[in-house]
Amino acid sequence: MLVLSRRSGEQVLIGKEIVVTVLEVRGGRVKLGFLGPEQVPISRKEIERKSAAPDDSKRRPGLVIASPGSDRSTQF
């Protein structure tokens, strides 16, 4: 496991196509943005675990995707 310290606005590159950006750090929470090819699925681990459970009706949006240089983001 690679452990890094990052500040708001800093990025981490995964391979050559995936960029993880620290969007905001507030208290004990960190907001991350992921940018990568459409064919690479990105999801939260707890959502993957819940999808195996019978009741998925309580799922909350949790993935925010922002285009580089854009103020617009999409939440899923």
Side-chain angles (χ1 to χ4, degrees):
M1 175 185 299
L2 173 64
V3 179
L4 301 171
S5 296
R6 300 279 85 194
R7 290 189 169 101
S8 185
E10 294 182 326
Q11 298 179 324
V12 174
L13 184 62
I14 300 174
K16 294 183 180 188
E17 297 184 323
I18 300 173
V19 179
V20 180
T21 304
V22 179
L23 300 174
E24 180 180 345
V25 179
R26 185 182 299 175
R29 298 185 61 96
V30 178
K31 187 182 287 189
L32 301 173
F34 298 83
L35 181 64
E38 289 184 24
Q39 66 269 23
V40 176
I42 301 173
S43 63
R44 299 181 317 175
K45 190 168 187 171
E46 63 271 20
I47 296 297
E48 291 296 318
R49 280 190 240 141
K50 286 181 182 179
S51 67
D55 183 14
D56 281 345
S57 63
K58 296 178 183 175
R59 290 174 50 175
R60 292 179 19 188
L63 177 62
V64 177
I65 299 177
S67 300
S70 172
D71 294 348
R72 300 177 65 191
S73 63
T74 304
Q75 185 165 353
F76 295 92

